Amino acid sequence: MSEEDQDFSDRGSDFFSDETIRLFLLGRLRADERARFEERLLLDDEMERRVRRVEYELADDYAFGRLTMDERGPFTQNFLVTEERQQKLAVSQVLRKELSQQPGSTNVAQTRIMSRLRGTSGLFGFGRVGRPALSFALAFVALLIFGGLVWLVMKSPRSKTQPAVTRRQPVPTGTREYAHAPSLTPETTGTPTPVPQTTETSGEPDLSPLIATFVLPKAQRAGGETIRITIPPGANDIVRLELSLESAEAATYRAELFTAEGQSITVGPEVRVSSSNLQAKVVLDVPARLLKVGDYQIKLSRTAGGSVQDVGRYYFRALEKQ
Amino acid sequence: MGECHNWHPVVAGAINQFSMPRSKRSYSLQQEDFDRLLVWLDEDRERAAVAYEKVRWRLTAIFASRGCRVPEELADETIDRVSRRVADIRETYVGDRVLYFLGVANNVHHEYLKRPPLSGSQPANDVREREEQMHQCLDMCLNNLTEKSQHLIRQYYAEDKQAKIDLRRRLADELGLSLNTLRVRALRIREELQGCIQRCLASRKL
C-alpha cells in the first residue's frame, strides 16, 4: 500500500492521529500523551513526515482564517517560534492571496501588474536582477498596450463626453421601477451591462457611477453553475442584481444580500408586485464597494396576507474586473 | 576535517550548522566531540549527518511544543551536551541512542524554565517588498509545476471554510482519488512550492 493510500484514522492505541499531531504543534497535549508522542517523534521517520505535513496545514489554516479563537494564541506562542515555520506561514499567506477566492482576498496578480505599470517595483522584477534594458523594454510595450486600450475607449461613441480612462455613465434620474417587464437593455446572465444613457450631460468631467446589471436565476435544488459577476472598479459604482421570479404572486417582495457565511450586507427596499405582471423581477442595487471577491447569496421573501414567506435563494460569485 | 565543499551536501550542511557561531553558547564544542557524535549516531558519515539533522529538527519541534521561545537554540544546546558526553557513554550505553537526546533535552528544558522570560520584539522587515518578491517567486514556482500539479494545487487552495470541504471532495472525485490521497499529494506539492520559493528568495538576496 502506498503512503498516499494509508488511512491514518484508526491504527490502535500506539498510534497518534493527525488531530493529536495538531495538538502537539499547538502545545496542547496532555503531559502523559506528550511524553509518548515525543518519544515516537524522535524514533519514527514516518512520524516526522506527518508532523511536517500538519505544519503546512496548520500554517494554511491560520493564513486562511480557519483557526478557532482558542487555537490562535497557541499558534503564535507555540508554533510560530521557528524561522522555518514562519517561512511556511509566509508562503501560506501568499497562497491565500494568490489562489483563494474567499471574500477579502484581492486580485493580487492584477494589483501587482498595475503597480508595475506605475513603476513602483519594476516590471516583473527584472530590474532587480540586473536587466534594466529588458525591464524598460517590457514597460514600454505595456505602456503601448495600455495606450491602445485608452485610444479604443476614446473612440467609443458612448464615452465621447466622459473622461478617457473611465466608462462611467450618469445614474438614471427619476423614480426607478424595481419590478418591471424585461428590460430593454441587452441582458445575458452573468455579464455586466451598462445602463443606456438617457440624460444630458453638461460637458464637464462625468464622475457618475457605473451600473453593472446582472440577471440571477433562482437557485435550483439539483445544483447548477454558479453565476459569476464582475465587480465594477469604482467606489461609487453599483451592481444591479435582477432576481427572476418564476411566478409572481401579488405581494410585497424584499431581497437581502448575505455573504456565504451568512453575514448580512444590505437589504433592498420593499417592492410591490401585481399578479398581472407575468415577467416580474425584483431588483437589488448593491454599492460595489460593499462587494469583495467571494460567494454571496440573496434571500428573497414576500409578505402577503400579513405573513412573511421565503421565496427562494439566489447565488452568485463576485469576481474582480480583469 | 577538510574543506566543506568536499563533503556530501547533507554532511556539509550539518557541519556548517554546527560551526555557525551561536551567541548563546557558553562552551566552545571541540571538533572532535562533534566527530565523535556523528560516529556514535552512525559509522557512515553521510547517514550520520542525516541522523543529526533529524534529531535537531525533532528536538526543535519538541521544545517549541513545550512553549519554549528559542527552540532551535535549546535543541543545539541539547546536542552540544550529548556531544560532550559521548566519550563517556559510548562504550556502556544501551538502547536507542536517539532517546538519550530526549533525556538531556528534559534537563535543558528545566534549566530554560528557570531563566528570566525573554523580552524584546522582532526587528521590523520591509514587509511589502518581501511580500512582492514572494508573489513573484510563487508565480515562477507555480509555472514550474506540471499542468496537473498546478491544477490540483490551485483548486485545493481555492476555497476556505465549509466550501473548502465540498470543493476538495469534488476535486478528489474529479481526479479519481481518495480525500486522503488528495491531501497527501497537495501537501507534497505545497512542500515543493515552499522549497522553490525559499530558493528563489535566497537567490534574490545574492
Side-chain angles (χ1 to χ4, degrees), chain A residues 22 25 90 210 243 305 313:
Chain A
R22 192 180 174 95
L25 291 171
L210 176 72
L243 313 179
R313 305 290 174 95

Side-chain angles (χ1 to χ4, degrees), chain A residues 203-216:
Chain A
E204 293 178 353
D206 191 346
L207 298 178
S208 302
L210 176 72
I211 298 177
T213 305
F214 302 89
V215 177
L216 300 182

Side-chain angles (χ1 to χ4, degrees), chain A residues 55 76-86, chain B residues 22 55-79 105 108-109 112 115 118 122:
Chain A
E55 282 188 342
T76 51
Q77 289 163 17
N78 290 68
F79 181 82
L80 216 55
V81 290
T82 71
E83 191 180 336
E84 183 184 313
R85 291 174 181 180
Q86 291 164 10
Chain B
R22 291 191 285 258
V55 165
R56 188 177 186 274
W57 189 90
R58 295 170 190 185
L59 286 174
T60 302
I62 287 169
F63 282 118
S65 169
R66 294 185 184 188
C68 302
R69 301 301 299 274
V70 285
E72 288 131 324
E73 184 185 306
L74 297 178
D76 289 333
E77 176 63 28
T78 303
I79 292 170
V108 170
H109 184 224
Y112 166 82
R115 289 190 203 173
L118 292 173
Q122 296 283 347

Side-chain angles (χ1 to χ4, degrees), chain B residues 9 16 44 54 57 108 147 194:
Chain B
N16 278 335
D44 180 274
K54 284 181 183 175
W57 189 90
V108 170
E147 206 173 302
Q194 183 83 31

Side-chain angles (χ1 to χ4, degrees), chain A residues 38 45 48 57 60 97, chain B residues 58 66 131 157 180 183:
Chain A
E38 289 174 353
D45 289 350
E48 178 186 324
E57 289 186 324
D60 287 346
K97 289 181 181 177
Chain B
R58 295 170 190 185
R66 294 185 184 188
E131 197 173 303
Y157 281 96
N180 188 60
R183 173 182 171 246

Side-chain angles (χ1 to χ4, degrees), chain A residues 253-305:
Chain A
Y253 289 79
R254 167 167 273 183
E256 187 171 358
L257 176 65
F258 294 86
T259 64
E261 290 79 26
Q263 182 184 1
S264 179
I265 301 290
T266 187
V267 181
E270 287 186 341
V271 171
R272 180 80 191 150
V273 173
S274 64
S275 56
S276 61
N277 192 340
L278 299 177
Q279 291 172 304
K281 294 178 187 174
V282 174
V283 176
L284 178 64
D285 283 347
V286 182
R289 67 178 183 278
L290 296 184
L291 293 176
K292 293 180 171 45
V293 173
D295 291 335
Y296 293 87
Q297 59 176 322
I298 299 173
K299 294 181 188 175
L300 186 65
S301 59
R302 67 172 167 236
T303 305

Side-chain angles (χ1 to χ4, degrees), chain A residues 49-61:
Chain A
R49 273 194 290 275
R50 291 180 60 212
V51 170
R52 285 181 184 270
R53 272 187 225 141
V54 178
E55 282 188 342
Y56 282 117
E57 289 186 324
L58 205 47
D60 287 346
D61 284 349

